[in-house]
Amino acid sequence: YEVHEVLEDVWRTLAGERRVVVQGLIQIAVGFHHLRRGKPKSAVALFARGRAKLVAHDAAARGVDVAALLTDLGPWEAAAAAGEAWDESRALPRFVLRVADAGRFDV
């Protein structure tokens, strides 16, 4: 849930495509919050909306490693769709930002 809080402050300052990309990241984060609280149907919906925004709005061009994030999200989406509970042993998705001339940051 903390990811949502931090990104929401950023989201408020943005416009256009950048705002949509950050909204997609927020939706995925909130999906995890719902899954952890035992609401897999809500998680499925939020994961799908977040995924659609990242793919449709070229988040990769905005410095987000979309391929890694969405690949890692896949098992969580499948588990939520199957109605499974939160699984502490399942690795969380990598959230990697690439910043021009500043290297790579894993968040």
Side-chain angles (χ1 to χ4, degrees), residues 11-95:
W11 174 77
R12 286 187 180 123
T13 69
L14 301 174
E17 185 175 330
R18 294 174 71 194
R19 184 177 173 102
V20 174
V21 168
V22 172
Q23 185 179 26
L25 295 172
I26 290 169
Q27 287 173 324
I28 289 171
V30 174
F32 279 101
H33 177 69
H34 282 289
L35 188 59
R36 188 156 203 163
R37 296 188 66 210
K39 298 178 181 180
K41 287 183 183 179
S42 296
V44 168
L46 285 159
F47 289 156
R49 286 189 291 195
R51 175 183 284 276
K53 282 182 177 64
L54 294 181
V55 171
H57 292 278
D58 197 15
R62 300 289 176 203
V64 178
D65 188 340
V66 175
L69 175 62
L70 297 182
T71 296
D72 292 352
L73 181 61
W76 288 94
E77 290 172 304
E84 294 178 17
W86 180 268
D87 183 354
E88 291 288 337
S89 68
R90 187 177 292 122
L92 290 169
R94 292 169 285 164
F95 181 69

